[in-house]
Amino acid sequence: MADNQTTIPANPANPECVDRAETAAALREAQNQYQQLIDGLPDGYAEFNLEGNLIRFNEALVAMCSRTKDELMNLSYQAFVDRKTVSRVRHEYEGVCKIGLPREGRVYEIIRKDGIKMFVEGSVTLKKVNGKVVGFRGFWRDISERKRTEQELAKHRSRLEAIFASVKEGIVAFDADGRVINANRAVEAICGVPVGTIVGKRLEQIQGLCGQACRGVLQAALSGETSAKECQIGCDRHDRPQQVVVVNTSPLMDEEGRSMGAVLVMRDITELLGLEKELRGRYQFQNLIGKSKQMQALYDLLDNLANLETTVLITGESGTGKELVARALHYAGARAHRPFIKVNCSALTESLLESELFGHVKGAFTGAIKDRQGRFQAADGGTILLDEIGDISPIIQLKLLRVLQEKEFERVGESTSRKVDVRVITSTNRDLREKVKNGEFREDLYYRLKVMDIFLPALRDRLEDIPLLGQHFCRLFRERFKKEIEGLSTEVLNRFMNYAWPGNVRELEHGLEHAFALCNGKTIELEHLPKEIREFTGAKHGPARSGPRGKQLAAHELRQALEASRWNKRKAAFLLGIDRSTLYRKINQYRLLED
């Protein structure tokens, strides 16, 4: 729209008047051409003076604003936006004026005369006359349709993400290169890896508890070869070796049949598979093995303590598995993804133990050539096991008491206290109560450590766990020695059930390792055992073979013994503490058949 111009009458007798008239006419022509030029633009064009009033515009802007040309002329920018946007527009235009540079890609929600709201996107630049800033000009495009589409897509994405997050199955999407595009929260529980750490990585690059047993079916889906449907996989998780999931995979293909990636869906069925075991009794907790009443009570206690922050004192004879209990507490709880640090307190002198636990600074003592992080700091956020706690000196006892009470410590040679978040578990085969009576151990520290006391029974007090332990170690050593040894002979089982086991489970493990090294047949015999076990004649322990035991025998107990002995009736009868005639009678009574 052209600006209003004053008409200057021409006087033919006055050359100056003629020049002025011709100049005015040329100016009007230039303005008309300029207006025609901007009217031909597909986008809206606007010029504002420094007060923010509209002084020039094109036809596209007239159509965009749904106002007449007269209504638009000298209209303030405030008429186009709501109150919240007014201050934003003013701030941005002042910024353009201050720095002198245009701003592009500005998006505003404007209000038409009819009240309809629309979105425009454009740029703002300074308008100058003879080098002086006189206003602003800008080009604007209606992007309402695009904005509405974006908003709909955002809502749709939000709904999908809500559904994605609420699904109990773990879902992981991969691109064509096998990198993780997205994953839901259920993946954290199933795979033991935080979702935020796996996006952008290939499966083999992911570090954590996951054993990556699903890699094979995933690669098949990524190559477009095949989909996996209800494929049951043992996860090989480091902290949950018994975890089993059902996996479904689907390749993602484009219109031309090229692979775009794959989707992996996982469902944890460990509990489902464990229901039958739960009915028969729990035989394993983490890496602890046993079905005896003592072990069942231990499993229940560990379940209750796993997610508590209280200190725990583990006691029991050497070789009973105190470190395994500590690890089970750590990996069954909320700290499973954080460090587990073990310190053998009896293996170091007082000065070395202090440095090992709390760290030291350079020059703290001879040989301290650089700063060193202590075990407590290394275990921050996780768990520390102080093994053989009964052997620490009074000075270390005092410093440890402070850590337990105040959650802070000082490095050797440093006066600055450091905060630490560590769950403390201790273990010993000593009688700490007796050491307290003798003045060798601080009473206040003793009660700090003994908030919860876990006592591990000796192996001789849970002989019924020996067959399970034997099977467990046989599986381990078959893998390690690459030998196809099926199991233990009846004589070996008999000897194990009557042996005193002064070294407890550790002695059983080492005894079977010794036997695997010597055995070249299918069965471990007496001749393969270590001398002290092979020649033991104490015969103080053995399974009861009374009649009432046979009467109380349940069908599932009978099947367990038969499966454990590979349906060797003599071994099964020995395991159950009954004679073979009772065994045969019970097999007929329950109508059991070998699978």
Side-chain angles (χ1 to χ4, degrees):
M1 175 173 287
D3 294 332
N4 294 331
Q5 303 294 325
T6 302
T7 303
I8 302 174
N11 185 354
N14 188 342
E16 184 179 347
C17 290
V18 172
D19 291 342
R20 290 174 60 189
E22 290 178 352
T23 301
L27 178 61
R28 286 195 298 272
E29 180 62 24
Q31 289 176 335
N32 288 334
Q33 290 180 3
Y34 178 62
Q35 187 65 43
Q36 291 176 18
L37 176 66
I38 63 174
D39 281 340
L41 296 174
D43 295 333
Y45 174 79
E47 292 182 9
F48 291 89
N49 60 21
L50 292 177
E51 287 73 36
N53 297 322
L54 191 59
I55 59 173
R56 185 180 291 277
F57 44 86
N58 65 354
E59 294 290 345
L61 191 76
V62 173
M64 190 183 299
C65 296
S66 187
R67 283 179 166 90
T68 66
K69 295 179 180 180
D70 291 337
E71 288 173 333
L72 286 176
M73 182 58 67
N74 293 317
L75 192 63
S76 172
Y77 74 94
Q78 298 183 25
F80 298 95
V81 293
D82 58 25
R83 290 182 180 179
K84 291 182 180 179
T85 312
V86 166
S87 59
R88 177 189 158 204
V89 173
R90 182 187 298 116
H91 176 74
E92 291 189 351
Y93 275 59
E94 288 175 351
V96 172
C97 190
K98 184 176 181 180
I99 64 175
L101 297 176
R103 290 197 175 183
E104 300 178 350
R106 317 318 293 171
V107 176
Y108 300 113
E109 186 180 46
I110 67 172
I111 306 170
R112 303 195 332 171
K113 183 181 178 180
D114 55 12
I116 296 175
K117 293 183 178 181
M118 60 187 296
F119 288 93
V120 295
E121 178 184 43
S123 59
V124 179
T125 59
L126 290 176
K127 178 182 178 183
K128 296 181 180 181
V129 175
N130 298 324
K132 182 180 178 181
V133 176
V134 296
F136 306 91
R137 57 163 56 97
F139 291 92
W140 302 98
R141 178 183 296 112
D142 183 0
I143 60 167
S144 301
E145 191 63 33
R146 190 186 84 187
K147 201 70 177 177
R148 281 192 289 269
T149 302
E150 289 175 354
Q151 291 174 342
E152 285 300 318
L153 285 174
K155 290 180 182 178
H156 183 61
R157 177 179 288 275
S158 180
R159 288 192 292 267
L160 285 178
E161 287 179 350
I163 296 171
F164 195 55
S166 65
V167 174
K168 292 183 179 180
E169 285 80 3
I171 305 173
V172 189
F174 297 85
D175 63 16
D177 293 327
R179 297 184 184 278
V180 177
I181 302 171
N182 205 347
N184 66 349
R185 288 293 177 189
V187 172
E188 293 191 358
I190 296 175
C191 301
V193 291
V195 168
T197 65
I198 66 175
V199 175
K201 294 181 179 179
R202 293 189 179 91
L203 192 61
E204 62 269 20
Q205 295 173 323
I206 296 172
Q207 301 294 323
L209 300 171
C210 178
Q212 302 184 0
C214 58
R215 187 184 299 178
V217 293
L218 175 62
Q219 292 297 339
L222 286 171
S223 63
E225 295 176 6
T226 182
S227 299
K229 299 297 182 185
E230 297 297 302
C231 180
Q232 188 170 305
I233 293 176
C235 284
D236 296 332
R237 261 185 69 165
H238 310 327
D239 62 328
R240 294 186 65 195
Q242 304 302 316
Q243 179 171 289
V244 179
V245 298
V246 168
V247 171
N248 289 275
T249 60
S250 296
L252 300 176
M253 314 297 288
D254 62 16
E255 295 179 354
E256 298 179 3
R258 293 174 300 193
S259 175
M260 298 171 54
V263 175
L264 176 71
V265 181
M266 300 167 286
R267 184 172 72 256
D268 189 347
I269 61 168
T270 310
E271 278 193 36
L272 185 63
L273 292 178
L275 287 178
E276 186 178 350
K277 274 188 179 177
E278 288 293 335
L279 294 174
R280 299 193 307 248
R282 275 169 93 176
Y283 296 163
Q284 184 167 2
F285 185 94
Q286 298 289 327
N287 287 326
L288 296 167
I289 307 292
K291 65 175 182 178
S292 61
K293 289 183 179 179
Q294 298 98 315
M295 296 303 289
Q296 298 299 313
L298 175 62
Y299 299 160
D300 291 338
L301 180 58
L302 294 179
D303 259 340
N304 292 330
L305 295 179
N307 284 308
L308 298 181
E309 295 301 312
T310 184
T311 56
V312 177
L313 174 63
I314 306 171
T315 59
E317 295 180 8
S318 179
T320 50
K322 295 186 286 296
E323 183 181 341
L324 288 179
V325 171
R327 290 183 179 275
L329 281 172
H330 173 74
Y331 287 111
R335 294 177 179 259
H337 304 307
R338 306 298 297 167
F340 176 86
I341 304 294
K342 176 192 173 185
V343 182
N344 188 339
C345 298
S346 65
L348 300 170
T349 62
E350 178 185 292
S351 59
L352 289 177
L353 180 59
E354 183 179 4
S355 173
E356 188 73 16
L357 291 176
F358 309 117
H360 63 253
V361 296
K362 181 180 178 181
F365 50 83
T366 303
I369 59 175
K370 62 179 180 179
D371 290 357
R372 182 183 179 187
Q373 183 186 66
R375 296 298 185 93
F376 268 98
Q377 191 172 350
D380 192 23
T383 304
I384 190 168
L385 169 62
L386 303 178
D387 193 20
E388 303 301 343
I389 191 65
D391 295 334
I392 63 175
S393 69
I395 292 179
I396 302 297
Q397 292 177 34
L398 181 61
K399 291 181 178 290
L400 180 58
L401 182 63
R402 183 189 175 196
V403 176
L404 294 173
Q405 290 176 334
E406 303 175 19
K407 300 293 184 182
E408 63 181 28
F409 66 93
E410 295 171 1
R411 293 193 296 180
V412 179
E414 187 178 53
S415 58
T416 304
S417 295
R418 295 172 177 265
K419 286 287 186 181
V420 67
D421 172 27
V422 174
R423 183 181 189 181
V424 177
I425 299 176
T426 58
S427 63
T428 183
N429 57 11
R430 304 288 189 91
D431 187 345
L432 287 188
R433 187 176 299 175
E434 187 65 27
K435 291 179 76 70
V436 170
K437 289 180 181 179
N438 296 335
E440 298 173 356
F441 201 87
R442 294 180 64 102
E443 185 175 18
D444 51 359
L445 177 59
Y446 171 68
Y447 286 111
R448 272 283 182 181
L449 298 177
K450 192 181 175 296
V451 175
M452 288 302 304
D453 187 5
I454 297 178
F455 173 74
L456 290 185
L459 184 57
R460 61 181 173 275
D461 296 327
R462 57 181 186 106
L463 290 174
E464 60 265 49
D465 291 334
I466 287 179
L468 276 176
L469 288 166
Q471 292 175 42
H472 171 70
F473 290 129
C474 282
R475 282 196 298 270
L476 293 180
F477 295 137
R478 270 196 294 269
E479 179 73 20
R480 183 183 305 176
F481 288 92
K482 307 300 181 185
K483 290 186 176 182
E484 296 299 324
I485 297 177
E486 295 178 354
L488 314 178
S489 69
T490 303
E491 290 76 13
V492 169
L493 271 175
N494 187 38
R495 181 58 50 87
F496 282 178
M497 298 297 286
N498 286 278
Y499 184 59
W501 297 110
N504 292 292
V505 179
R506 184 184 295 125
E507 185 182 8
L508 173 61
E509 178 183 6
H510 292 168
L512 284 173
E513 185 176 7
H514 179 278
F516 261 76
L518 296 180
C519 180
N520 293 315
K522 293 290 185 180
T523 306
I524 300 292
E525 303 290 350
L526 281 176
E527 64 190 52
H528 304 130
L529 300 180
K531 182 178 179 181
E532 62 271 17
I533 300 177
R534 186 175 66 248
E535 296 181 356
F536 180 76
T537 58
K540 294 181 180 178
H541 303 280
R545 300 178 181 272
S546 58
R549 169 63 180 146
K551 292 179 181 179
Q552 298 169 1
L553 188 64
H556 69 268
E557 293 180 290
L558 180 58
R559 178 171 286 280
Q560 289 169 17
L562 288 167
E563 290 176 353
S565 63
R566 298 178 182 270
W567 285 78
N568 183 308
K569 309 300 191 300
R570 184 180 176 188
K571 289 183 181 180
F574 177 81
L575 292 175
L576 293 168
I578 59 177
D579 55 40
R580 272 184 285 176
S581 61
T582 303
L583 177 73
Y584 283 113
R585 187 173 67 254
K586 287 292 181 181
I587 290 174
N588 292 331
Q589 176 184 341
Y590 295 129
R591 299 179 180 177
L592 298 180
L593 297 174
E594 184 174 359
D595 296 335

